Amino acid sequence: MKKVLWWLFASRGGVNRAKIINKLHTRPYNAHQLADELKLDYTTIRHHLKVLEENNVVTSTGEKYNIMYFLSDKMEENYNVFEEIWESLNNK
């Protein structure tokens, strides 16, 4: 998981993905809510959610416009690893 997290957050788009993870750590959101909260375009949010979901970092439930996103159990277990990686990247 650590390698996946390094790739997700140290690569292009990592800042936006980290913002999404931080928000989802507090509570579940849908894509529109995340776009509003993070002041990002809806399509940008959808792209990053897709990448995060494909890498088992977030999970979703619901249909069409009522899809809610949560951190996956695996991500919850490794949230401290995410924090370490994010801190390391921000101290460069």
CSV table of all heavy atoms in Angstrom, one decimal, residues 4-27 29 34 37-38 40 44-45 47-49 51-52 57-58 71 75 79 81-90:
chain,number,residue,atom,x,y,z
A,4,VAL,N,1.8,2.3,-3.5
A,4,VAL,CA,0.7,2.9,-4.2
A,4,VAL,C,0.4,4.3,-3.7
A,4,VAL,O,0.2,5.2,-4.6
A,4,VAL,CB,-0.6,2.0,-4.0
A,4,VAL,CG1,-1.9,2.7,-4.5
A,4,VAL,CG2,-0.4,0.6,-4.6
A,5,LEU,N,0.5,4.5,-2.4
A,5,LEU,CA,0.2,5.9,-1.9
A,5,LEU,C,1.3,6.8,-2.4
A,5,LEU,O,1.0,8.0,-2.7
A,5,LEU,CB,0.2,5.8,-0.4
A,5,LEU,CG,-1.1,5.1,0.2
A,5,LEU,CD1,-1.0,5.1,1.7
A,5,LEU,CD2,-2.4,5.7,-0.3
A,6,TRP,N,2.6,6.4,-2.4
A,6,TRP,CA,3.6,7.3,-2.9
A,6,TRP,C,3.3,7.7,-4.4
A,6,TRP,O,3.4,8.8,-4.8
A,6,TRP,CB,5.0,6.6,-2.9
A,6,TRP,CG,5.7,6.9,-1.6
A,6,TRP,CD1,5.9,6.1,-0.5
A,6,TRP,CD2,6.4,8.2,-1.3
A,6,TRP,NE1,6.6,6.8,0.4
A,6,TRP,CE2,6.9,8.0,0.0
A,6,TRP,CE3,6.5,9.4,-2.0
A,6,TRP,CZ2,7.6,9.1,0.6
A,6,TRP,CZ3,7.2,10.4,-1.3
A,6,TRP,CH2,7.7,10.3,-0.1
A,7,TRP,N,2.9,6.7,-5.2
A,7,TRP,CA,2.6,7.0,-6.6
A,7,TRP,C,1.5,7.9,-6.7
A,7,TRP,O,1.5,8.9,-7.5
A,7,TRP,CB,2.4,5.7,-7.4
A,7,TRP,CG,1.9,6.0,-8.8
A,7,TRP,CD1,2.7,6.3,-9.8
A,7,TRP,CD2,0.6,6.0,-9.3
A,7,TRP,NE1,2.0,6.5,-10.9
A,7,TRP,CE2,0.6,6.3,-10.6
A,7,TRP,CE3,-0.7,5.7,-8.7
A,7,TRP,CZ2,-0.5,6.4,-11.4
A,7,TRP,CZ3,-1.8,5.8,-9.5
A,7,TRP,CH2,-1.7,6.2,-10.8
A,8,LEU,N,0.4,7.7,-5.9
A,8,LEU,CA,-0.8,8.5,-6.0
A,8,LEU,C,-0.6,10.0,-5.6
A,8,LEU,O,-1.2,10.9,-6.2
A,8,LEU,CB,-1.9,7.9,-5.1
A,8,LEU,CG,-2.6,6.7,-5.7
A,8,LEU,CD1,-3.5,6.1,-4.6
A,8,LEU,CD2,-3.4,7.0,-6.9
A,9,PHE,N,0.3,10.2,-4.6
A,9,PHE,CA,0.4,11.5,-4.1
A,9,PHE,C,1.7,12.3,-4.5
A,9,PHE,O,1.7,13.5,-4.4
A,9,PHE,CB,0.3,11.5,-2.6
A,9,PHE,CG,-1.1,10.9,-2.2
A,9,PHE,CD1,-1.1,9.7,-1.6
A,9,PHE,CD2,-2.2,11.5,-2.5
A,9,PHE,CE1,-2.3,9.1,-1.2
A,9,PHE,CE2,-3.5,11.0,-2.2
A,9,PHE,CZ,-3.5,9.8,-1.6
A,10,ALA,N,2.7,11.6,-5.0
A,10,ALA,CA,3.9,12.2,-5.5
A,10,ALA,C,3.9,12.5,-7.0
A,10,ALA,O,4.7,13.2,-7.5
A,10,ALA,CB,5.1,11.4,-5.1
A,11,SER,N,2.9,11.9,-7.7
A,11,SER,CA,2.8,12.1,-9.1
A,11,SER,C,1.8,13.3,-9.4
A,11,SER,O,1.2,13.9,-8.5
A,11,SER,CB,2.2,10.9,-9.8
A,11,SER,OG,0.9,10.6,-9.3
A,12,ARG,N,1.7,13.6,-10.7
A,12,ARG,CA,0.9,14.7,-11.1
A,12,ARG,C,-0.6,14.5,-10.6
A,12,ARG,O,-1.1,13.4,-10.7
A,12,ARG,CB,0.9,14.8,-12.7
A,12,ARG,CG,0.2,15.9,-13.2
A,12,ARG,CD,0.4,16.0,-14.7
A,12,ARG,NE,-0.4,17.1,-15.2
A,12,ARG,CZ,-1.0,17.1,-16.4
A,12,ARG,NH1,-0.8,16.0,-17.2
A,12,ARG,NH2,-1.6,18.1,-16.8
A,13,GLY,N,-1.2,15.5,-10.1
A,13,GLY,CA,-2.5,15.4,-9.5
A,13,GLY,C,-2.5,15.0,-8.1
A,13,GLY,O,-3.6,14.9,-7.5
A,14,GLY,N,-1.4,14.7,-7.5
A,14,GLY,CA,-1.3,14.3,-6.1
A,14,GLY,C,-1.9,15.2,-5.1
A,14,GLY,O,-2.5,14.8,-4.1
A,15,VAL,N,-1.7,16.5,-5.3
A,15,VAL,CA,-2.2,17.5,-4.4
A,15,VAL,C,-3.8,17.4,-4.3
A,15,VAL,O,-4.3,17.4,-3.2
A,15,VAL,CB,-1.8,18.9,-4.8
A,15,VAL,CG1,-2.5,20.0,-4.0
A,15,VAL,CG2,-0.3,19.1,-4.7
A,16,ASN,N,-4.4,17.3,-5.5
A,16,ASN,CA,-5.9,17.2,-5.5
A,16,ASN,C,-6.3,15.9,-4.9
A,16,ASN,O,-7.3,15.9,-4.1
A,16,ASN,CB,-6.4,17.4,-6.9
A,16,ASN,CG,-6.3,18.8,-7.4
A,16,ASN,OD1,-6.3,19.7,-6.6
A,16,ASN,ND2,-6.3,19.0,-8.7
A,17,ARG,N,-5.6,14.8,-5.1
A,17,ARG,CA,-6.0,13.5,-4.5
A,17,ARG,C,-5.8,13.6,-3.0
A,17,ARG,O,-6.7,13.1,-2.3
A,17,ARG,CB,-5.2,12.4,-5.2
A,17,ARG,CG,-5.6,12.1,-6.6
A,17,ARG,CD,-5.0,10.8,-7.1
A,17,ARG,NE,-3.7,11.0,-7.6
A,17,ARG,CZ,-3.3,11.3,-8.8
A,17,ARG,NH1,-4.2,11.6,-9.7
A,17,ARG,NH2,-2.1,11.4,-9.1
A,18,ALA,N,-4.8,14.2,-2.6
A,18,ALA,CA,-4.6,14.4,-1.1
A,18,ALA,C,-5.7,15.2,-0.5
A,18,ALA,O,-6.2,14.9,0.6
A,18,ALA,CB,-3.2,15.0,-0.8
A,19,LYS,N,-6.1,16.3,-1.1
A,19,LYS,CA,-7.2,17.1,-0.6
A,19,LYS,C,-8.5,16.2,-0.5
A,19,LYS,O,-9.2,16.3,0.5
A,19,LYS,CB,-7.5,18.3,-1.5
A,19,LYS,CG,-6.4,19.3,-1.4
A,19,LYS,CD,-6.7,20.4,-2.4
A,19,LYS,CE,-5.6,21.5,-2.4
A,19,LYS,NZ,-5.9,22.6,-3.4
A,20,ILE,N,-8.7,15.4,-1.5
A,20,ILE,CA,-9.9,14.5,-1.4
A,20,ILE,C,-9.8,13.5,-0.3
A,20,ILE,O,-10.8,13.3,0.5
A,20,ILE,CB,-10.1,13.8,-2.8
A,20,ILE,CG1,-10.5,14.7,-3.9
A,20,ILE,CG2,-11.1,12.6,-2.7
A,20,ILE,CD1,-10.4,14.2,-5.3
A,21,ILE,N,-8.6,12.9,-0.1
A,21,ILE,CA,-8.4,12.0,1.0
A,21,ILE,C,-8.7,12.7,2.4
A,21,ILE,O,-9.3,12.1,3.2
A,21,ILE,CB,-7.0,11.4,1.0
A,21,ILE,CG1,-6.9,10.5,-0.3
A,21,ILE,CG2,-6.7,10.6,2.2
A,21,ILE,CD1,-7.9,9.4,-0.4
A,22,ASN,N,-8.1,13.9,2.5
A,22,ASN,CA,-8.3,14.6,3.8
A,22,ASN,C,-9.8,14.9,4.0
A,22,ASN,O,-10.3,14.7,5.2
A,22,ASN,CB,-7.6,15.9,3.8
A,22,ASN,CG,-6.1,15.7,4.1
A,22,ASN,OD1,-5.7,14.9,4.9
A,22,ASN,ND2,-5.2,16.4,3.4
A,23,LYS,N,-10.6,15.2,3.0
A,23,LYS,CA,-12.0,15.5,3.2
A,23,LYS,C,-12.7,14.2,3.6
A,23,LYS,O,-13.5,14.2,4.5
A,23,LYS,CB,-12.6,16.1,1.9
A,23,LYS,CG,-12.4,17.5,1.8
A,23,LYS,CD,-13.1,18.3,2.9
A,23,LYS,CE,-12.9,19.8,2.7
A,23,LYS,NZ,-13.5,20.5,3.9
A,24,LEU,N,-12.4,13.1,2.8
A,24,LEU,CA,-13.1,11.8,3.1
A,24,LEU,C,-12.8,11.2,4.4
A,24,LEU,O,-13.5,10.4,4.9
A,24,LEU,CB,-12.8,10.8,1.9
A,24,LEU,CG,-13.4,11.2,0.6
A,24,LEU,CD1,-13.1,10.2,-0.5
A,24,LEU,CD2,-15.0,11.4,0.7
A,25,HIS,N,-11.6,11.7,5.0
A,25,HIS,CA,-11.3,11.2,6.3
A,25,HIS,C,-12.2,11.7,7.4
A,25,HIS,O,-12.4,11.0,8.4
A,25,HIS,CB,-9.8,11.6,6.6
A,25,HIS,CG,-9.3,11.0,7.9
A,25,HIS,ND1,-9.1,9.6,8.1
A,25,HIS,CD2,-8.9,11.6,9.0
A,25,HIS,CE1,-8.6,9.4,9.3
A,25,HIS,NE2,-8.5,10.6,9.9
A,26,THR,N,-12.8,12.8,7.1
A,26,THR,CA,-13.7,13.4,8.1
A,26,THR,C,-15.2,12.9,8.0
A,26,THR,O,-15.8,12.7,9.0
A,26,THR,CB,-13.8,14.9,8.0
A,26,THR,OG1,-14.3,15.3,6.7
A,26,THR,CG2,-12.4,15.5,8.2
A,27,ARG,N,-15.6,12.6,6.7
A,27,ARG,CA,-17.0,12.1,6.5
A,27,ARG,C,-17.1,11.7,5.0
A,27,ARG,O,-16.3,12.1,4.2
A,27,ARG,CB,-18.0,13.1,6.9
A,27,ARG,CG,-17.8,14.5,6.1
A,27,ARG,CD,-19.1,15.3,6.2
A,27,ARG,NE,-19.9,15.0,5.0
A,27,ARG,CZ,-20.6,15.9,4.4
A,27,ARG,NH1,-20.6,17.2,4.8
A,27,ARG,NH2,-21.3,15.6,3.4
A,29,TYR,N,-18.6,12.0,1.2
A,29,TYR,CA,-19.1,13.0,0.3
A,29,TYR,C,-19.5,12.4,-1.0
A,29,TYR,O,-18.9,11.4,-1.4
A,29,TYR,CB,-18.0,14.0,0.1
A,29,TYR,CG,-17.6,15.0,1.2
A,29,TYR,CD1,-16.7,14.7,2.1
A,29,TYR,CD2,-18.3,16.2,1.3
A,29,TYR,CE1,-16.3,15.5,3.1
A,29,TYR,CE2,-17.9,17.1,2.3
A,29,TYR,CZ,-17.0,16.8,3.2
A,29,TYR,OH,-16.7,17.6,4.2
A,34,LEU,N,-17.7,17.4,-2.9
A,34,LEU,CA,-16.3,17.5,-2.9
A,34,LEU,C,-15.9,18.7,-3.8
A,34,LEU,O,-15.0,19.5,-3.5
A,34,LEU,CB,-15.6,16.2,-3.4
A,34,LEU,CG,-15.6,15.1,-2.3
A,34,LEU,CD1,-15.1,13.8,-3.0
A,34,LEU,CD2,-14.6,15.4,-1.2
A,37,GLU,N,-16.7,21.8,-1.9
A,37,GLU,CA,-15.8,22.0,-0.7
A,37,GLU,C,-14.4,22.4,-1.1
A,37,GLU,O,-13.7,23.2,-0.5
A,37,GLU,CB,-15.8,20.7,0.1
A,37,GLU,CG,-17.0,20.4,0.9
A,37,GLU,CD,-17.1,21.2,2.2
A,37,GLU,OE1,-16.0,21.4,2.8
A,37,GLU,OE2,-18.2,21.7,2.5
A,38,LEU,N,-13.9,21.7,-2.2
A,38,LEU,CA,-12.5,21.9,-2.6
A,38,LEU,C,-12.3,23.0,-3.7
A,38,LEU,O,-11.2,23.3,-4.1
A,38,LEU,CB,-11.9,20.6,-3.1
A,38,LEU,CG,-11.9,19.5,-2.0
A,38,LEU,CD1,-11.4,18.2,-2.6
A,38,LEU,CD2,-11.0,19.9,-0.8
A,40,LEU,N,-13.0,22.9,-6.8
A,40,LEU,CA,-12.4,22.2,-8.0
A,40,LEU,C,-13.5,21.9,-9.0
A,40,LEU,O,-14.7,21.7,-8.5
A,40,LEU,CB,-11.6,21.0,-7.6
A,40,LEU,CG,-10.3,21.2,-6.8
A,40,LEU,CD1,-9.8,19.8,-6.4
A,40,LEU,CD2,-9.3,21.9,-7.7
A,44,THR,N,-12.8,17.2,-12.7
A,44,THR,CA,-11.5,16.9,-12.0
A,44,THR,C,-11.7,16.0,-10.9
A,44,THR,O,-11.0,15.0,-10.7
A,44,THR,CB,-10.9,18.3,-11.6
A,44,THR,OG1,-10.7,19.1,-12.7
A,44,THR,CG2,-9.5,18.0,-10.9
A,45,ILE,N,-12.7,16.3,-10.0
A,45,ILE,CA,-13.0,15.5,-8.9
A,45,ILE,C,-13.3,14.1,-9.3
A,45,ILE,O,-12.8,13.1,-8.8
A,45,ILE,CB,-14.2,16.1,-8.1
A,45,ILE,CG1,-13.8,17.4,-7.4
A,45,ILE,CG2,-14.7,15.1,-7.0
A,45,ILE,CD1,-12.7,17.3,-6.3
A,47,HIS,N,-12.4,12.5,-12.0
A,47,HIS,CA,-11.2,11.8,-12.5
A,47,HIS,C,-10.4,11.3,-11.3
A,47,HIS,O,-10.0,10.1,-11.3
A,47,HIS,CB,-10.4,12.8,-13.3
A,47,HIS,CG,-9.0,12.3,-13.6
A,47,HIS,ND1,-8.7,11.3,-14.4
A,47,HIS,CD2,-7.8,12.6,-13.0
A,47,HIS,CE1,-7.4,11.0,-14.4
A,47,HIS,NE2,-6.9,11.8,-13.5
A,48,HIS,N,-10.2,12.1,-10.3
A,48,HIS,CA,-9.4,11.7,-9.2
A,48,HIS,C,-10.1,10.6,-8.4
A,48,HIS,O,-9.4,9.7,-7.9
A,48,HIS,CB,-9.0,12.9,-8.4
A,48,HIS,CG,-8.0,13.8,-9.0
A,48,HIS,ND1,-6.7,13.3,-9.5
A,48,HIS,CD2,-8.1,15.1,-9.4
A,48,HIS,CE1,-6.1,14.3,-10.0
A,48,HIS,NE2,-6.9,15.4,-10.0
A,49,LEU,N,-11.4,10.7,-8.2
A,49,LEU,CA,-12.1,9.7,-7.5
A,49,LEU,C,-12.0,8.3,-8.2
A,49,LEU,O,-11.8,7.3,-7.6
A,49,LEU,CB,-13.6,10.0,-7.4
A,49,LEU,CG,-13.9,11.1,-6.3
A,49,LEU,CD1,-15.3,11.6,-6.4
A,49,LEU,CD2,-13.6,10.6,-4.9
A,51,VAL,N,-9.4,7.4,-10.1
A,51,VAL,CA,-8.1,6.9,-9.9
A,51,VAL,C,-8.0,6.3,-8.5
A,51,VAL,O,-7.4,5.2,-8.3
A,51,VAL,CB,-7.0,8.0,-10.1
A,51,VAL,CG1,-5.7,7.6,-9.6
A,51,VAL,CG2,-7.0,8.4,-11.6
A,52,LEU,N,-8.5,7.0,-7.5
A,52,LEU,CA,-8.4,6.5,-6.1
A,52,LEU,C,-9.2,5.2,-5.9
A,52,LEU,O,-8.8,4.3,-5.2
A,52,LEU,CB,-8.9,7.6,-5.2
A,52,LEU,CG,-8.1,8.8,-5.1
A,52,LEU,CD1,-8.8,10.0,-4.4
A,52,LEU,CD2,-6.7,8.5,-4.4
A,57,VAL,N,-8.3,2.9,-2.7
A,57,VAL,CA,-8.1,3.9,-1.7
A,57,VAL,C,-9.4,4.4,-1.2
A,57,VAL,O,-9.6,4.8,-0.1
A,57,VAL,CB,-7.2,5.0,-2.2
A,57,VAL,CG1,-7.1,6.2,-1.2
A,57,VAL,CG2,-5.8,4.5,-2.5
A,58,VAL,N,-10.4,4.6,-2.2
A,58,VAL,CA,-11.8,4.9,-1.8
A,58,VAL,C,-12.7,3.9,-2.3
A,58,VAL,O,-12.4,3.1,-3.2
A,58,VAL,CB,-12.2,6.3,-2.4
A,58,VAL,CG1,-11.2,7.4,-1.8
A,58,VAL,CG2,-12.2,6.3,-3.8
A,71,LEU,N,-13.4,6.5,2.5
A,71,LEU,CA,-12.1,5.9,2.4
A,71,LEU,C,-12.3,4.4,2.6
A,71,LEU,O,-13.2,3.9,3.3
A,71,LEU,CB,-11.2,6.4,3.6
A,71,LEU,CG,-10.8,7.8,3.6
A,71,LEU,CD1,-9.9,8.1,4.7
A,71,LEU,CD2,-10.1,8.2,2.3
A,75,MET,N,-7.4,1.9,3.3
A,75,MET,CA,-6.9,3.3,3.4
A,75,MET,C,-7.0,3.8,4.8
A,75,MET,O,-6.1,4.4,5.4
A,75,MET,CB,-7.6,4.2,2.5
A,75,MET,CG,-7.1,5.7,2.5
A,75,MET,SD,-5.3,5.7,2.0
A,75,MET,CE,-4.9,7.3,2.7
A,79,TYR,N,-3.9,5.2,7.0
A,79,TYR,CA,-4.0,6.7,6.9
A,79,TYR,C,-2.7,7.3,7.5
A,79,TYR,O,-2.3,8.4,7.0
A,79,TYR,CB,-5.2,7.2,7.7
A,79,TYR,CG,-5.5,8.6,7.4
A,79,TYR,CD1,-6.1,9.0,6.3
A,79,TYR,CD2,-5.1,9.6,8.4
A,79,TYR,CE1,-6.3,10.4,6.0
A,79,TYR,CE2,-5.3,10.9,8.1
A,79,TYR,CZ,-6.0,11.3,6.9
A,79,TYR,OH,-6.2,12.6,6.7
A,81,VAL,N,0.3,6.3,7.1
A,81,VAL,CA,1.3,6.2,6.1
A,81,VAL,C,1.0,7.4,5.1
A,81,VAL,O,2.0,8.0,4.7
A,81,VAL,CB,1.2,4.9,5.3
A,81,VAL,CG1,2.1,4.8,4.1
A,81,VAL,CG2,1.5,3.7,6.3
A,82,PHE,N,-0.2,7.6,4.8
A,82,PHE,CA,-0.6,8.8,3.9
A,82,PHE,C,-0.1,10.1,4.5
A,82,PHE,O,0.6,10.9,3.9
A,82,PHE,CB,-2.1,8.8,3.7
A,82,PHE,CG,-2.6,10.2,3.3
A,82,PHE,CD1,-2.3,10.6,2.0
A,82,PHE,CD2,-3.3,11.0,4.1
A,82,PHE,CE1,-2.7,11.9,1.6
A,82,PHE,CE2,-3.7,12.2,3.7
A,82,PHE,CZ,-3.4,12.7,2.5
A,83,GLU,N,-0.3,10.2,5.8
A,83,GLU,CA,0.1,11.5,6.5
A,83,GLU,C,1.6,11.6,6.5
A,83,GLU,O,2.1,12.7,6.2
A,83,GLU,CB,-0.4,11.5,8.0
A,83,GLU,CG,-1.9,11.7,8.1
A,83,GLU,CD,-2.3,11.6,9.5
A,83,GLU,OE1,-1.9,10.7,10.3
A,83,GLU,OE2,-3.1,12.5,9.9
A,84,GLU,N,2.4,10.5,6.7
A,84,GLU,CA,3.8,10.6,6.6
A,84,GLU,C,4.3,11.0,5.2
A,84,GLU,O,5.2,11.8,5.0
A,84,GLU,CB,4.4,9.2,7.0
A,84,GLU,CG,4.3,8.8,8.4
A,84,GLU,CD,4.7,7.4,8.7
A,84,GLU,OE1,5.3,6.7,7.8
A,84,GLU,OE2,4.3,6.9,9.8
A,85,ILE,N,3.7,10.4,4.2
A,85,ILE,CA,4.1,10.7,2.8
A,85,ILE,C,3.8,12.1,2.5
A,85,ILE,O,4.6,12.8,1.9
A,85,ILE,CB,3.3,9.7,1.8
A,85,ILE,CG1,3.9,8.3,2.0
A,85,ILE,CG2,3.5,10.2,0.4
A,85,ILE,CD1,3.1,7.3,1.2
A,86,TRP,N,2.6,12.6,2.9
A,86,TRP,CA,2.2,13.9,2.6
A,86,TRP,C,3.1,14.9,3.3
A,86,TRP,O,3.5,16.0,2.7
A,86,TRP,CB,0.7,14.1,2.9
A,86,TRP,CG,0.2,15.4,2.4
A,86,TRP,CD1,-0.4,16.4,3.1
A,86,TRP,CD2,0.1,15.8,1.0
A,86,TRP,NE1,-0.8,17.4,2.3
A,86,TRP,CE2,-0.5,17.1,1.0
A,86,TRP,CE3,0.5,15.2,-0.2
A,86,TRP,CZ2,-0.7,17.8,-0.2
A,86,TRP,CZ3,0.3,15.9,-1.3
A,86,TRP,CH2,-0.2,17.1,-1.4
A,87,GLU,N,3.4,14.7,4.5
A,87,GLU,CA,4.3,15.6,5.3
A,87,GLU,C,5.7,15.6,4.6
A,87,GLU,O,6.3,16.7,4.5
A,87,GLU,CB,4.4,15.1,6.7
A,87,GLU,CG,5.3,16.0,7.6
A,87,GLU,CD,5.3,15.6,9.0
A,87,GLU,OE1,4.3,15.2,9.6
A,87,GLU,OE2,6.4,15.7,9.6
A,88,SER,N,6.2,14.4,4.2
A,88,SER,CA,7.5,14.4,3.5
A,88,SER,C,7.5,15.2,2.2
A,88,SER,O,8.4,15.9,1.9
A,88,SER,CB,7.8,12.9,3.2
A,88,SER,OG,9.0,12.8,2.4
A,89,LEU,N,6.4,15.1,1.5
A,89,LEU,CA,6.3,15.8,0.2
A,89,LEU,C,6.2,17.3,0.4
A,89,LEU,O,6.8,18.1,-0.3
A,89,LEU,CB,5.1,15.3,-0.6
A,89,LEU,CG,5.2,13.9,-1.2
A,89,LEU,CD1,3.9,13.5,-1.8
A,89,LEU,CD2,6.3,13.9,-2.3
A,90,ASN,N,5.5,17.7,1.5
A,90,ASN,CA,5.4,19.2,1.8
A,90,ASN,C,6.6,19.8,2.4
A,90,ASN,O,6.7,21.0,2.4
A,90,ASN,CB,4.2,19.4,2.7
A,90,ASN,CG,2.9,19.2,1.9
A,90,ASN,OD1,2.8,19.6,0.8
A,90,ASN,ND2,1.9,18.7,2.6
